[in-house]
Amino acid sequence: MYPMSYLQLPVIDLAAADRGPQSRALLHAQLHSAAHDVGFFQLTGHGVGGAETAALTGAMRAFFALPEADRLAVSHLNSPHFRGYTRTGDERTGGSRDWRDQLDIGAERPARIPGPGEPGYWWLEGPNQWPAALPALRTAALGWIDRLSGVAHKLLHELLAAIGAPPDFYDEIFADRPHLHLKLVRYPGSAGDGSEQGVGAHKDYGFLTLLHQDEIGGLQVQRGDGLFHEVPPIPGAFVVNLGELLEVATNGYLLATNHRVVSPAGATERYSVPFFYNPRLDARIAPVPFPHAADAPGVTADPANPLFAEYGRNELKGWLRAHPQVAARHHQDLLVPA
């Protein structure tokens, strides 16, 4: 039997940061434990209201209800920046197809095409693709990116303070052109071949992920027993997980944890919205000074998934693996090992 605590992730109230020293100290103790021991938690008290969430999820459902031709008009195959719509089964995790379709959206910026000698990761910066039939989606999605950026900024400050680090240590690498990314995701039920991989086991590339999931469930997190355990949805809460760069920054003291999604049964649809809070692509992640550094076990060693301190290299590695069709169409030169 696994511990009863595995039946739920830690639940953390971010609003406690504003309730005085005693409440903030308790918040820091909870954050420290969750980030060091689990790498995942549920976040309440974030201030994002039901109306804001309904505006985004309504626009998302309207997008997936569009005729396929309208969705394919903004196909990710059109974009060297990996933005746009990915059909069910066209993304890969761990070399196997993910049974979901999605719309990838980032901060709305002009294309940054790498010049001679510049890193290939600059291709990850560029414009989004928006469906002409659904203008409300642009407003809702970009508004969500702005709103959750504020939540993630506050959360990162509190997390660093929780481990005894300077809260503003990473402000500079987020201050100008942070790499913000949003996915609107639909899991359309089980694959016809019986595969249950909604998305395969993986860790996220960057700093923090804030996930809105619907009531269907299916997200699973690998816990200390090595098994994957369900994450029951909590209405109004974000599921938060730490990315690989926070593991790098703390030499493994904070955990980037494997997680996956199991496809819902039958024809049941599941919707989720992960938001990824990450620094500039060219940011180099300096080790954060904190009093528990001597207890850090070191960064996870996985020859199949090397971790880089330069954020853009970490991010590009993942995109080229996950979207082989886009990589083959636009980035043949980047597929050659350096």
Side-chain angles (χ1 to χ4, degrees):
M1 286 291 292
Y2 51 81
M4 288 296 291
S5 62
Y6 283 9
L7 295 176
Q8 181 57 272
L9 294 176
V11 179
I12 292 175
D13 180 6
L14 186 59
D18 305 316
R19 295 193 192 117
Q22 187 173 355
S23 292
R24 190 165 185 241
L26 178 58
L27 166 69
H28 287 173
Q30 294 170 332
L31 266 177
H32 188 158
S33 175
H36 175 56
D37 299 331
V38 186
F40 263 83
F41 52 92
Q42 302 250 29
L43 187 71
T44 63
H46 44 69
V48 179
E52 296 171 273
T53 303
L56 179 73
T57 57
M60 172 176 63
R61 288 175 180 266
F63 172 75
F64 288 111
L66 291 174
E68 184 180 46
D70 289 347
R71 285 178 276 130
L72 290 176
V74 294
S75 169
H76 70 315
L77 296 176
N78 303 330
S79 171
H81 316 293
F82 297 89
R83 305 286 177 83
Y85 174 67
T86 303
R87 295 182 305 175
T88 302
D90 279 358
E91 187 176 20
R92 300 288 189 271
T93 300
S96 298
R97 67 177 186 174
D98 295 326
W99 200 246
R100 62 178 184 173
D101 59 345
Q102 63 194 15
L103 184 67
D104 281 291
I105 301 164
E108 190 68 85
R109 294 180 183 141
R112 171 73 187 271
I113 299 174
E118 288 191 315
Y121 56 65
W122 288 119
W123 280 110
L124 298 176
E125 195 164 280
N128 295 298
Q129 298 188 82
W130 302 106
L134 194 60
L137 179 62
R138 186 183 192 277
T139 300
L142 295 181
W144 192 257
I145 287 174
D146 287 344
R147 190 75 167 89
L148 264 64
S149 292
V151 175
H153 174 78
K154 179 177 182 177
L155 176 59
L156 180 59
H157 273 218
E158 298 300 336
L159 175 58
L160 292 175
I163 63 170
D168 60 354
F169 187 77
Y170 289 117
D171 280 6
E172 187 274 331
I173 62 173
F174 281 91
D176 179 47
R177 304 174 77 83
H179 193 70
L180 309 173
H181 181 221
L182 180 68
K183 283 180 179 284
L184 307 181
V185 185
R186 173 178 62 176
Y187 297 87
S190 301
D193 62 3
S195 169
E196 294 186 341
Q197 178 170 309
V199 60
H202 67 286
K203 300 178 181 180
D204 292 345
Y205 313 138
F207 264 67
L208 290 171
T209 303
L210 278 69
L211 171 75
H212 166 75
Q213 61 170 341
D214 67 11
E215 70 283 358
I216 299 300
L219 175 64
Q220 298 181 342
V221 172
Q222 192 171 33
R223 302 297 297 269
D225 61 358
L227 303 177
F228 283 87
H229 296 269
E230 295 283 340
V231 179
I234 296 177
F238 291 116
V239 181
V240 176
N241 66 281
L242 280 56
E244 291 172 337
L245 289 189
L246 275 172
E247 183 172 311
V248 169
T250 61
N251 196 30
Y253 187 79
L254 299 184
L255 292 180
T257 303
N258 272 320
H259 52 289
R260 68 187 184 189
V261 173
V262 175
S263 294
T268 302
E269 291 188 333
R270 174 184 186 264
Y271 293 87
S272 70
V273 185
F275 167 75
F276 304 92
Y277 184 66
N278 297 316
R280 295 191 320 268
L281 287 167
D282 61 346
R284 295 193 64 84
I285 311 306
V288 64
F290 68 112
H292 308 283
D295 300 323
V299 175
T300 302
D302 182 355
N305 183 39
L307 302 183
F308 304 110
E310 191 174 16
Y311 168 60
R313 293 184 68 194
N314 233 31
E315 180 82 0
L316 181 62
K317 168 195 69 179
W319 282 104
L320 293 173
R321 288 179 176 181
H323 294 271
Q325 293 171 305
V326 176
R329 177 175 290 194
H330 297 285
H331 300 301
Q332 282 285 346
D333 57 323
L334 299 180
L335 297 177
V336 178

